[in-house]
Amino acid sequence: MFGFSTARLKMVDGQVRTNDVTDRRVLDAMLTVPREAFVPADRQALAYLDLDLDVSEGAAKRFLIKPQLTGKLLQAAEIGEGDNVLVVGCATGYLAALTAKLAGQVTATECDSALAAKAKAALNLANVTCKAAACADGDPSAAPYDVIILNGATEVTPEALLGQLKEGGRLVGVSAESRPPRAIIVTHTHGEFGHRALFDAAAPVLPGLERAAAFVF
C-alpha cells in the first residue's frame, strides 16, 4: 500500500507529463501541493485519480478538475512570479494552492460559502485571498488581473470576468459554448479580446456560467 506522496508522483508522471505538460514550475507545484488536503476525508483515496473529483458537501455539485487538465491550463496561462491571478470557482482551493506557487498574488472565489470557508482554512497562504462570490462576478476589488483561470467550464462568454483582465492579460479555462468543448485562452490586447482554442477538453460547468435554458412550448 503506497502513500499519498507516491500517488502524487504517479499522478504527475502518468497523467500530467504524458499530456504534454513540460513546464518545470507547474510540475514542481503539482509534486509539492498535497491534493488530498483539499478533498473530504471519505474521498481522499480518490485524490489522485484521473477524474473530476466531487468535493461537494452541500446541494450544489463542486469539483476539482482532472489533474492533467489542471496542469495543461496552468501551463497555457504562463503565470509569472509577480502576476496577479484570479482563480474562479476554486471549490476547496487546490487550483488556487498550485497557482500560489507560481504567482505573486492570488484571489480565489467560490460560490458555495461553506466550501469557500474550507478553502480559506486549507490554503492559509500569505499570497492568497479566498472569498465567497458568484463565479460570474469575479472580484473587481483586486482587479485588474494578469491571469484569470476557470476551475471548470463556461457555457457563456464571461463578460464580467473579461472586464477584469488588464491590458496584456489572459483568461484560460474550458469553453462549452459549442461542441466539442475546448480549452481556450482569451487575451486582452489594445482593448480587444482574442479567443484561441487550445485543445479538446471537458470539465464540469461552473455555477452561474451555464447557458440559459431554452424556452419550450
Side-chain angles (χ1 to χ4, degrees):
M1 181 71 175
F2 55 76
F4 287 125
S5 59
T6 301
R8 194 175 310 123
L9 177 61
K10 288 180 176 292
M11 174 193 76
V12 172
D13 286 346
Q15 299 173 41
V16 183
R17 293 182 197 271
T18 54
N19 276 280
D20 300 321
V21 178
T22 58
D23 187 314
R24 170 51 59 185
R25 295 174 67 231
V26 173
L27 294 171
D28 286 347
M30 298 190 79
L31 283 168
T32 56
V33 174
R35 198 167 191 252
E36 73 277 5
F38 299 90
V39 177
D42 63 346
R43 278 161 271 175
Q44 286 186 338
L46 308 176
Y48 293 98
L49 298 183
D50 180 25
L51 51 77
D52 298 312
L53 183 54
D54 185 351
V55 293
S56 310
E57 296 192 5
K61 290 291 187 181
R62 302 295 296 112
F63 297 86
L64 305 186
I65 59 175
K66 293 180 182 68
Q68 56 91 2
L69 178 56
T70 299
K72 293 185 80 168
L73 290 177
L74 286 170
Q75 178 168 271
E78 297 183 335
I79 298 169
E81 292 180 359
D83 281 355
N84 181 30
V85 181
L86 173 66
V87 177
V88 175
C90 72
T92 51
Y94 176 66
L95 179 56
L98 294 173
T99 304
K101 295 279 189 182
L102 308 173
Q105 184 64 41
V106 178
T107 300
T109 63
E110 170 51 45
C111 61
D112 183 318
S113 58
L115 278 187
K118 288 183 179 295
K120 188 173 184 179
L123 287 163
N124 194 29
L125 299 170
N127 67 332
V128 180
T129 301
C130 186
K131 299 183 177 182
C135 294
D137 293 347
D139 182 29
S141 69
Y145 299 101
D146 298 283
V147 178
I148 297 175
I149 305 178
L150 307 183
N151 182 45
T154 179
E155 293 179 330
V156 297
T157 300
E159 300 287 358
L161 298 179
L162 295 177
Q164 293 170 36
L165 279 177
K166 69 169 51 173
E167 177 71 19
R170 55 248 176 239
L171 177 148
V172 296
V174 174
S175 172
E177 289 188 72
S178 58
R179 292 286 181 264
R182 292 185 172 92
I184 60 162
I185 184 166
V186 182
T187 53
H188 183 203
T189 308
H190 305 303
E192 302 290 334
F193 295 98
H195 297 65
R196 179 164 58 91
L198 300 172
F199 49 87
D200 289 352
V205 177
L206 290 167
L209 293 175
E210 305 96 341
R211 184 182 295 108
F215 181 76
V216 178
F217 287 100

